[in-house]
Amino acid sequence: AQKVTQAQTEISVVEKEDVTLDCVYETRDTTYYLFWYKQPPSGELVFLIRRNSFDEQNEISGRYSWNFQKSTSSFNFTITASQVVDSAVYFCALSDSGGYQKVTFGTGTKLQVIP
Amino acid sequence: EPEVTQTPSHQVTQMGQEVILRCVPISNHLYFYWYRQILGQKVEFLVSFYNNEISEKSEIFDDQFSVERPDGSNFTLKIRSTKLEDSAMYFCASSELPGTSNTGELFFGEGSRLTVL
């Protein structure tokens, strides 16, 4: 069975601080996909990134960066120089080797960026 | 930019009533999904649909639920006799066929909020 754990329920930071959102996953598959989604107060789910299990390169996209470590089954997400618009719930998610079937979401981390 | 559209955005219904939530997936996508998010909780997989049949479903997706692609564009979720615990945000999603050149992204709609009284 697949499982995604986001131990941080809520995080508050002051604007311009860096913040890291933790994600730990469990799967028996050797090929799998990891995702991060953002859910702003308006409620929609916004795709941020997808990584496959064979690609452990860290990725940077603007102020966002992701650290994938297979050895610790973690896929952490860092926002550099946080902004108020980053306030949202962030979900880490995992899907099986098909990559297009069932996606298992974590419970989410609510990030509040205080001006 | 192509998007998944869902209607209605909010529906209020009485317990025991039938509800149909509608979705228009992105036109060249072939995989369709429904997910559910009870208020304040995580997003949960309900069902995936491909080639006019269910490819996988969760334990939540019991006999009260059904999905259909009645025409070439719509994808519907029907709840036959709603219960209080069906109150949630329901997200439709679609994705391209595996193996195509894409980011592997599930494109989600903006959700349909169902309130069962």
Side-chain angles (χ1 to χ4, degrees):
Chain A
Q2 298 179 327
K3 187 178 176 182
V4 177
T5 301
Q6 294 180 257
Q8 303 150 308
T9 308
E10 287 193 45
I11 302 175
S12 288
V13 298
V14 177
E15 201 171 20
K16 295 184 186 170
E17 285 184 350
D18 298 346
V19 59
T20 295
L21 309 182
D22 298 332
C23 173
V24 173
Y25 63 90
E26 293 175 33
T27 179
R28 281 197 282 262
D29 293 328
T30 53
T31 303
Y32 50 88
Y33 295 83
L34 295 162
F35 305 81
W36 276 95
Y37 283 86
K38 173 181 179 181
Q39 187 174 43
S42 49
E44 72 270 27
L45 287 166
V46 179
F47 170 83
L48 295 178
I49 190 171
R50 166 193 186 253
R51 304 296 281 176
N52 74 55
S53 51
F54 295 110
D55 184 0
E56 287 193 71
Q57 270 194 318
N58 292 329
E59 180 149 341
I60 297 175
S61 175
R63 297 185 297 108
Y64 295 168
S65 62
W66 291 270
N67 180 261
F68 175 28
Q69 293 202 345
K70 219 167 171 178
S71 60
T72 55
S73 297
S74 65
F75 186 45
N76 296 338
F77 172 33
T78 298
I79 302 174
T80 303
S82 59
Q83 299 175 2
V84 172
V85 293
D86 295 327
S87 296
V89 179
Y90 290 86
F91 290 97
C92 180
L94 166 71
S95 76
D96 62 19
S97 58
Y100 299 89
Q101 298 295 320
K102 175 183 174 180
V103 175
T104 300
F105 283 80
T107 50
T109 297
K110 183 176 182 180
L111 173 66
Q112 186 176 13
V113 181
I114 303 163
Chain B
E1 187 178 319
E3 58 181 15
V4 176
T5 56
Q6 290 186 240
T7 54
S9 56
H10 189 192
Q11 181 157 355
V12 181
T13 190
Q14 295 290 325
M15 195 168 56
Q17 293 296 304
E18 177 183 283
V19 159
I20 297 176
L21 304 179
R22 291 183 168 79
C23 170
V24 179
I26 294 172
S27 61
N28 64 333
H29 286 186
L30 296 176
Y31 279 86
F32 314 116
Y33 313 82
W34 284 99
Y35 285 78
R36 178 182 86 172
Q37 186 182 30
I38 294 171
L39 186 64
Q41 298 187 23
K42 67 178 179 180
V43 180
E44 301 172 292
F45 170 80
L46 290 179
V47 66
S48 61
F49 190 87
Y50 171 69
N51 201 25
N52 282 320
E53 59 182 23
I54 290 173
S55 50
E56 189 171 354
K57 60 182 181 179
S58 73
E59 58 277 5
I60 301 168
F61 194 86
D62 61 23
D63 292 343
Q64 293 292 341
F65 292 90
S66 63
V67 289
E68 195 178 34
R69 188 155 164 81
D71 53 43
S73 59
N74 290 284
F75 179 52
T76 62
L77 174 69
K78 183 193 289 187
I79 309 174
R80 211 178 327 275
S81 176
T82 50
K83 304 187 283 284
L84 294 176
E85 54 265 38
D86 293 328
S87 295
M89 181 78 93
Y90 289 82
F91 289 100
C92 175
S94 68
S95 64
E96 291 181 290
L97 194 62
T100 58
S101 173
N102 63 79
T103 62
E105 177 181 353
L106 272 183
F107 288 78
F108 282 91
E110 294 195 345
S112 292
R113 181 167 296 285
L114 176 64
T115 301
V116 183
L117 302 176

